[in-house]
Amino acid sequence: MSSPCSNCGKTSFIRDDVSGDLICSSCGVVQQFDQFDAQIGGLDGPQGTFIHVGTAGSGSLYSYRERKLFAANNSIDELTCRLGLSSKSVDIRTMISSITEGEFGQGEWFHVLIGACAYVVMRKDDRPLPMAEIASAVGCDVYELGRMILRVIDFLDLRPDFPEFDIVHSLERTVKNCASFASVGRGVKERMQKQGVFLIQCAVKWFLSTGRRPMPLVVAVLVFVAELNGVGVRMEDLAGEVHAMVSTCRARYKELLETLVKVAQVLPWGKDVTVKNIVKNAPFVIQYMERKSMLKPGAIREKRKDVDRPGVDLEDVVAECLRHDGEFEYGVDGVTSRKDSRYFSLESNNADRRLGVGDVDRLQISPECLSMLYKKFLDENRCAEALRRNGNAPKRRSLRVDLQECREWWEGKSELSKKLLLKRLLEKDVGVDTMPPSFVTGQLKCKMRRERINAAKVRIKRIMDPLDADLGDTEIPGPVDSSYPGRKRKKRKGMVVDDVDWEDLIIETLVLHQVKEEEIEKGHYNTLLDLHVFNSGIV
């Protein structure tokens, strides 16, 4: 026998004279399926026992469809187990059966279809999964998965009632499942989750998620909250776990800090708050936002006719600094020193007493007044600060406040600490109203392209009409220093000549071909060149 023993793998056998079985001489195991005796030839043609490929023995034949269904079900079970959706495998299988009319399928496209149906099922259940995570598990491109998801939604006619992406659930899921927070205590993790839900809903109200992928914003909020609570989390590690681009996460983080700086301007020391020290001032800013969001619509207007004055929410924050039992003043860098200025000690005429929120309200101290007092205090103490730096004045005793250890600023009583519907969320007031950053950026880019178009028209006119007397009085608009707002344009060798770069040359070409300026402002240069310059649209 050519095949080895099924038990020990050796090839030495003996034949039993009574039963005719083949037995291994080393281990004594009876070998199976060794009685096949091919009877080939004879008077009636070929004789013997023939076994068809694909059978399991005596006559059980599997068809192509049965093998395809078996492989498809195995693929569904494997992918749902990889995504942790074993409980939803029945729903996913039912949706795939409905789309393919019970035929299922095989190949790479079928794995993409499984991922798309898994995304749609979880989205309908208000527990969405990130597309990047599903694409990583399937082994396909995010855009390919997105196209398949759109086809599934259109085929099942789910657009009218298809729920929005729940970014709050994504944040909570990230806190619970990411390895970056595995070593964090339960109490700290719960506090971080509530603070994260509060901030991410504020970010939604500030339109930081409009037109953007949600997971980079989730990473930015969690990194900021982790820094507030003294938890060391690297943005690169967290972005890798949720399959988000690190550069995009940094951009969302920067936008979050800039918006919080805008909110902090209402504080007495708001002009000193910058992106670099906003983390140290975040407890005051978040407390102000939390209490402001707890006010009912119109409550500020009823209390103070001036709608720009925040009312009791600012007073509660500042009252902590006005109480004389806290003998230290708070600075923007987290350093406190003893109060020496009389502007910050409000005393009654009768006796020294502690001022509360009601007293501040009765005094009607506006934020503008507090800012003026704070500025005047800084002006008065500049000389003392200079002397102290030179060492000619006695140093005042200072106390550094570690904001990482002071957790009492967070109360978590606002409704924004829990998931809210978008309609109710937009009705809340969190201190500042902003336009979508993507919209603002788009408007700035259109304005820059308009300036480039005007400059290109002047250059073309100067070349075509060099003797025009009126052109001598026309100034060519200055070059745009940045292709993107807030970024400096990199001038590479050979790319910029006389302050004219490749974009200016493309715009000049489109203007010469009489392309509408409104279309050029949109910035779809490749499409416009194909349609108007290279004539690729002409059949």
Side-chain angles (χ1 to χ4, degrees):
M1 186 176 180
S2 60
S3 59
C5 176
S6 60
N7 183 40
C8 64
K10 296 184 179 180
T11 57
S12 59
F13 304 96
I14 58 176
R15 179 74 64 178
D16 187 14
D17 298 334
V18 179
S19 61
D21 295 333
L22 194 64
I23 303 174
C24 179
S25 61
S26 298
C27 61
V29 175
V30 178
Q31 305 300 308
Q32 302 294 329
F33 307 109
D34 65 314
Q35 296 93 352
F36 175 74
D37 187 10
Q39 304 292 334
I40 302 176
L43 298 176
D44 298 331
Q47 297 179 0
T49 303
F50 298 93
I51 300 177
H52 193 278
V53 176
T55 63
S58 57
S60 60
L61 180 65
Y62 290 104
S63 64
Y64 166 77
R65 184 176 184 276
E66 291 172 336
R67 293 197 301 271
K68 180 182 67 174
L69 295 178
F70 179 77
N73 287 319
N74 283 342
S75 299
I76 294 173
D77 294 336
E78 180 182 356
L79 185 58
T80 53
C81 180
R82 197 181 306 168
L83 292 173
L85 304 177
S86 300
S87 60
K88 295 293 181 180
S89 60
V90 176
D91 298 335
I92 297 173
R93 186 178 288 106
T94 302
M95 182 176 291
I96 296 175
S97 177
S98 175
I99 295 173
T100 60
E101 297 180 354
E103 293 297 329
F104 291 84
Q106 59 183 0
E108 297 297 331
W109 71 270
F110 185 71
H111 293 86
V112 180
L113 178 61
I114 297 174
C117 292
Y119 178 87
V120 173
V121 168
M122 297 305 295
R123 183 84 170 261
K124 290 175 61 179
D125 200 26
D126 289 331
R127 294 187 298 168
L129 293 177
M131 290 178 57
E133 180 179 348
I134 298 178
S136 176
V138 173
C140 68
D141 187 59
V142 178
Y143 301 99
E144 183 180 3
L145 177 63
R147 289 191 292 267
M148 183 65 75
I149 291 174
L150 291 178
R151 294 178 63 183
V152 170
I153 293 174
D154 293 336
F155 182 85
L156 298 177
D157 195 18
L158 299 176
R159 283 187 181 272
D161 301 326
F162 200 60
E164 297 289 337
F165 188 89
D166 191 355
I167 193 171
V168 175
H169 173 265
S170 299
L171 184 139
E172 295 174 347
R173 181 174 178 268
T174 304
V175 174
K176 293 179 181 177
N177 299 335
C178 280
S180 300
F181 304 105
S183 59
V184 181
R186 181 177 179 181
V188 178
K189 186 180 294 187
E190 291 179 356
R191 183 170 61 249
M192 288 177 56
Q193 180 173 324
K194 290 184 178 180
Q195 294 173 359
V197 171
F198 177 84
L199 282 178
I200 205 164
Q201 293 196 110
C202 292
V204 172
K205 180 175 173 57
W206 295 330
F207 303 103
L208 298 184
S209 61
T210 303
R212 275 88 174 274
R213 295 184 181 182
M215 295 312 297
L217 182 59
V218 171
V219 173
V221 170
L222 288 179
V223 170
F224 182 79
V225 170
E227 190 172 359
L228 285 180
N229 291 271
V231 179
V233 176
R234 297 179 70 251
M235 183 175 294
E236 293 78 5
D237 298 338
L238 190 57
E241 293 184 34
V242 300
H243 306 281
M245 294 294 295
V246 179
S247 58
T248 309
C249 296
R250 288 174 178 169
R252 299 293 90 80
Y253 184 77
K254 181 181 178 182
E255 292 176 354
L256 178 64
L257 296 185
E258 291 174 350
T259 310
L260 289 174
V261 169
K262 294 180 181 179
V263 180
Q265 299 306 307
V266 74
L267 298 176
W269 57 90
K271 294 183 178 180
D272 297 328
V273 179
T274 61
V275 176
K276 296 182 179 180
N277 57 30
I278 183 60
V279 176
K280 297 180 180 179
N281 291 271
F284 303 103
V285 178
I286 295 177
Q287 186 181 12
Y288 163 71
M289 293 165 53
E290 184 183 14
R291 298 194 179 186
K292 192 173 183 64
S293 65
M294 293 169 63
L295 294 177
K296 297 181 180 179
I300 302 177
R301 194 174 293 107
E302 293 176 1
K303 187 169 183 179
R304 293 183 179 179
K305 296 181 180 179
D306 190 359
V307 295
D308 295 331
R309 297 179 181 178
V312 66
D313 45 334
L314 179 61
E315 294 167 1
D316 291 340
V317 177
V318 179
E320 299 295 332
C321 301
L322 296 179
R323 294 190 310 180
H324 77 273
D325 60 341
E327 298 178 355
F328 303 95
E329 61 182 1
Y330 294 87
V332 295
D333 293 328
V335 180
T336 62
S337 57
R338 291 189 178 276
K339 301 178 183 178
D340 296 334
S341 177
R342 60 184 177 180
Y343 296 108
F344 288 93
S345 59
L346 299 177
E347 300 178 354
S348 63
N349 296 329
N350 299 329
D352 294 340
R353 60 186 181 90
R354 184 177 302 175
L355 284 176
V357 176
D359 299 316
V360 177
D361 180 54
R362 181 174 55 82
L363 292 174
Q364 295 291 325
I365 300 178
S366 65
E368 293 80 2
C369 180
L370 289 175
S371 300
M372 182 183 65
L373 294 176
Y374 179 70
K375 183 178 179 181
K376 191 172 183 180
F377 170 77
L378 292 179
D379 294 338
E380 289 181 352
N381 288 271
R382 284 178 181 174
C383 297
E385 291 290 338
L387 291 175
R388 189 160 53 251
R389 283 194 296 266
N390 296 331
N392 298 328
K395 296 183 179 180
R396 294 187 296 178
R397 191 177 70 180
S398 62
L399 175 66
R400 179 172 294 274
V401 178
D402 189 359
L403 296 179
Q404 307 298 339
E405 297 180 358
C406 300
R407 311 298 183 192
E408 58 273 5
W409 56 269
W410 171 252
E411 297 180 0
K413 296 180 180 179
S414 174
E415 292 182 355
L416 290 176
S417 300
K418 302 177 182 179
K419 179 183 174 181
L420 291 181
L421 296 176
L422 183 60
K423 182 178 180 181
R424 292 190 60 190
L425 176 61
L426 296 177
E427 293 175 353
K428 295 291 184 181
D429 185 6
V430 291
V432 68
D433 293 326
T434 60
M435 297 292 291
S438 55
F439 173 78
V440 175
T441 304
Q443 293 297 315
L444 291 175
K445 289 182 179 179
C446 288
K447 183 178 179 181
M448 287 189 228
R449 295 190 189 104
R450 166 61 62 182
E451 295 176 358
R452 288 177 180 268
I453 293 172
N454 295 333
K457 292 168 66 176
V458 172
R459 288 193 298 269
I460 293 172
K461 187 176 181 180
R462 173 172 290 181
I463 294 174
M464 298 181 67
D465 300 322
L467 301 179
D468 192 351
D470 296 335
L471 189 60
D473 299 332
T474 304
E475 294 183 0
I476 298 179
V480 182
D481 293 335
S482 60
S483 301
Y484 300 95
R487 297 183 182 178
K488 294 184 178 179
R489 186 177 62 185
K490 295 181 179 179
K491 297 184 179 181
R492 297 182 180 179
K493 185 177 181 180
M495 297 294 292
V496 180
V497 179
D498 295 334
D499 293 327
V500 177
D501 62 359
W502 63 268
E503 189 172 1
D504 295 318
L505 296 176
I506 291 177
I507 291 176
E508 285 185 10
T509 305
L510 295 175
V511 171
L512 288 172
H513 285 77
Q514 298 180 356
V515 182
K516 294 182 179 180
E517 296 181 4
E518 293 78 6
E519 296 181 358
I520 300 177
E521 289 181 4
K522 296 179 182 179
H524 304 297
Y525 298 135
N526 291 334
T527 303
L528 294 177
L529 289 173
D530 290 340
L531 291 176
H532 301 280
V533 180
F534 303 116
N535 297 325
S536 62
I538 300 178
V539 180

